[in-house]
Every structure is written in structure tokens, then in C-alpha cells.
Amino acid sequence: MLKSLHGPVEPQELLQSRILMIDDTKINIEIQDDILHHAGFQHLIEFTNSSHAVEKLFHMDPKGIDLVLLDLMMPNMDGFRVLEKLRNMQVQAPILIITARSDFPSRIKALEMGAQDFIMRPFENQEFLLRVEVHLRAYLNAKRLRDRNLRLDDLVRQQTMELEKTNSELNENYLDTLKRIAYIAELRDPETGNHMTRIGYYSHLLAKAAGLSEQEAVDYLHAAPLHDAGKIETPDHILLKPGKLDEKEWERMKQHANFGFEILKGHQSKIMNLAARIALSHHEKWDGSGYPQGLAENNIPLCGRIVAIADVYDALTSQRPYKKPWPMEKALELMEGGKGQHFEPDLLEKFFNIMPQIVEIQKKLTD
């Protein structure tokens, strides 16, 4: 039985995974089969003919595969062509290349075509099992979160339709649904326990300071915590990467603003539509250097300008795994330096003016 690594996927759930193995050498399949069966895996699908494997998979549900172990050097249809076919069939499961071919161009090509990892032959049984488990856990966790998000999205749509009919958006069930969506986004990108809640309160205070009515400002209280909902769609290897993102990874990360908009838009609820606009615009900058649209000055929606200030302040003054919280004075000094560049000057001044109220919120909602 595999030893359990840290994570919400239970060992028994892990061992129910369906693993596809494609290798033209029968002894290789038998070795992998023996290791996996001994560990407790039962649902193994094996092919020694890559063409037959692709033909068979064409008639299967691609969602039924949880992991692919693929050889590169095979007759008729090599591993690169199989990779291409699998991705065309919308197979989302991680693909591990198991091969004796170690040349750098082949590794790069396979990774660019969608492979997640390499296991070089000959390999140690323990390393093989650990790599299989790590990739299965990551995939099953992401799959669980995607399924939960779809269920919540359906729930939100149903509830908002009912709420619009009764003109009672702010009832307890509706607000609970909004909080749950924000919570799911936070699960994917664990920052601090009260980060989302603080963003809502800061945005509510700043919206009032900017001249919005009390009711409009209350909408910010509930919509602003959804600003990073799009991170649900960001791959784990980017979202959870401990080091600096490379250029390609950063471009993918920035797409969370668009994903958030797509997830939240189109509802009859004015709060959900406000949340969609916030998700899309809270990374825009006053000087036009932000993303995703490169908007500048008043072309940036007011909601995006408000939440940008609230989000940056909380990020600077909060504990993170990679940094200690900044003192308030140091955070405000840095934000002052971004006046007219990152932040709207007049709005930033209004934020500075309400700092006593902001500090009070921080004290009440400390992590």
C-alpha cells in the first residue's frame, strides 16, 4: 500500500485511479504493472500497441483516465504522436513520459506538447511510485475543485434567479453562496485566513469615501472578496510554484482576471456583475501598464480602481509564507510612490484619509 502524502485525497480514493500505460515493450509494462498492483492500484489499462491504444481511447470517456504512463520510442506511432492524439481527445490527465531517451530536445518537445514529467529508465521503484502519487494527487485535487466550482456556479445561478424574483438579494443564503465562491478561490491560492473578508470591508469603506451611496458601497462588501475567483482555473504548477514565474507562466497567471470575469459574468444579480467587473479590472494600473486590457485612468472602472488599492494594501501588511507583514507606515510609503502610476491619485488620498477605519478593520480581522 502506498504511504499517504499530505493532501485531502484519501489513500483509498487514490488507489481507485485509472492509470493508462502505453509501451511497446511487454517487459516494461509488466514491471510497471507489478509495482502498481503491489502498491494497491487495481484499475490499470495496458497497451503494447500505440495505434490500438489511440483507437480504443477514441471510444472512451477521456475523463475516465486519471494518469498516463507513456513511452516515447515506439513503432508505428511514437510517443510524440500519441501525446498529440491524447490532447486532441481532450485528455486532461497528467502524462508521465517513461523512457530511456534522455536527450534534451526530446524532453523539451514532450513538455511543450503537454507532458508533465519524465521518469528515466532504469528507475527505482520508490521514486516511480512517489512520482505517480504526486501527479495523481495534484490532478485529483484540481478535478475536485473544478467539480465543486461547477456545482457552486449552478447553485449561484439558481439562487440569483430566485432572489431577483423576490427582490431580496441580500438574504442569508445568497450571501453564503458568495462567500463559498470566494472560499474556493482562496483554497486554490492560500493566502491568509481573513484576506478575502478584509478586502470586502476595505473596498466598502473606500467606496463610501469615493462618494457612492451606502447601498452601492454595501455591494462592494460582498462583491470585492470574489476579485481572484479566476484563480480557480490557474494550473497548480503555476499557482503553487514556490519560486519566480517565468515569462510563459506569468502570462498564464495573468489570465485569471479574464477567467474570473467569465465565471462571474452574465448573472441577473447586480452584485455578481459588479464582482465580474472587479475580477477583470483590479489589476489595471492608472498609467496603463496593468493587465489584462492595459486600460488607463478613468477608462478603468471605478470598482477596479477601488479594489486595486484595497488588495495591494492588504497584501503588503499581511503575513505570507515568503514574507513578514510590512508595517503600515512602510506600506503607505510604497503606495504613495505608486500614486499616478499604479493608483488613481485622488482615490489613493481618500484611502489615506480613512486609515483609522482601515486599521480598526485590521485589528478585528487579524489572522
Side-chain angles (χ1 to χ4, degrees), residues 67-68 83 87 91-97 110-119 131 135 138-139 235 237:
L67 181 71
V68 179
L83 262 172
R87 289 317 184 200
V91 173
Q92 299 297 319
I95 299 174
L96 277 63
I97 303 298
L111 290 170
E112 289 177 341
M113 294 181 69
Q116 271 70 42
D117 201 356
F118 279 82
I119 302 177
R131 285 180 184 251
H135 285 284
Y139 175 69
H237 73 277

Side-chain angles (χ1 to χ4, degrees), residues 191-206:
E191 293 185 278
T192 62
N194 286 316
H195 169 71
M196 302 296 186
T197 306
R198 287 195 299 267
I199 295 301
Y201 278 98
Y202 296 165
S203 299
H204 168 249
L205 291 173
L206 185 53

Side-chain angles (χ1 to χ4, degrees), residues 129-195:
L129 279 175
L130 285 174
R131 285 180 184 251
V132 165
E133 183 176 6
V134 164
H135 285 284
L136 275 174
R137 284 188 177 279
Y139 175 69
L140 293 175
N141 277 324
K143 185 177 179 182
R144 177 184 294 175
L145 286 167
R146 284 195 299 269
D147 291 344
R148 187 187 302 176
N149 179 53
L150 289 173
R151 291 194 299 271
L152 277 176
D153 192 50
D154 287 340
L155 178 61
V156 169
R157 290 181 185 276
Q158 293 169 11
Q159 289 190 345
T160 51
M161 288 176 65
E162 294 171 3
L163 290 165
E164 287 295 324
K165 290 178 182 177
T166 60
N167 195 29
S168 179
E169 276 194 328
L170 299 183
N171 64 30
E172 184 178 352
N173 289 336
Y174 179 75
L175 295 182
D176 182 63
T177 299
L178 297 181
K179 290 175 183 177
R180 287 175 185 273
I181 297 174
Y183 176 67
I184 287 179
E186 193 174 10
L187 280 178
R188 295 292 325 285
D189 185 26
E191 293 185 278
T192 62
N194 286 316
H195 169 71

Side-chain angles (χ1 to χ4, degrees), residues 95-106:
I95 299 174
L96 277 63
I97 303 298
I98 304 182
T99 182
R101 186 171 179 173
S102 60
D103 60 291
F104 183 72
S106 293

Side-chain angles (χ1 to χ4, degrees), residues 208-349:
K208 287 201 297 183
L212 298 185
S213 69
E214 176 60 29
Q215 183 55 59
E216 290 173 323
V218 167
D219 289 346
Y220 278 71
L221 179 67
H222 304 296
L226 303 176
H227 63 287
D228 276 338
K231 287 185 178 179
I232 292 172
E233 294 288 345
T234 304
D236 285 345
H237 73 277
I238 295 176
L239 193 63
L240 305 179
K241 184 176 181 179
K244 184 178 180 181
L245 300 180
D246 62 32
E247 182 177 351
K248 186 175 181 181
E249 290 169 336
W250 176 235
E251 288 302 314
R252 180 64 177 82
M253 172 66 87
K254 290 194 295 186
Q255 292 178 26
H256 81 270
N258 291 311
F259 285 135
F261 177 72
E262 292 298 322
I263 290 169
L264 299 169
K265 73 174 185 179
H267 291 271
Q268 296 179 6
S269 159
K270 62 179 180 179
I271 292 181
M272 292 296 285
N273 283 320
L274 175 61
R277 295 196 301 276
I278 289 172
L280 184 64
S281 62
H282 75 284
H283 285 297
E284 301 289 356
K285 296 183 179 181
W286 187 251
D287 64 1
S289 63
Y291 66 87
Q293 296 175 295
L295 302 178
E297 301 187 357
N298 289 324
N299 288 322
I300 305 170
L302 176 61
C303 60
R305 288 178 266 153
I306 286 174
V307 176
I309 292 173
D311 192 27
V312 170
Y313 177 77
D314 193 70
L316 292 174
T317 56
S318 296
Q319 178 79 33
R320 295 290 187 270
Y322 52 85
K323 77 169 187 68
K324 294 181 179 180
W326 286 23
M328 178 188 70
E329 294 77 13
K330 182 179 178 182
L332 296 182
E333 181 181 349
L334 183 142
M335 294 177 73
E336 174 71 29
K339 182 188 293 186
Q341 298 172 3
H342 193 150
F343 310 111
E344 176 191 350
D346 183 60
L347 198 59
L348 188 63
E349 282 299 323

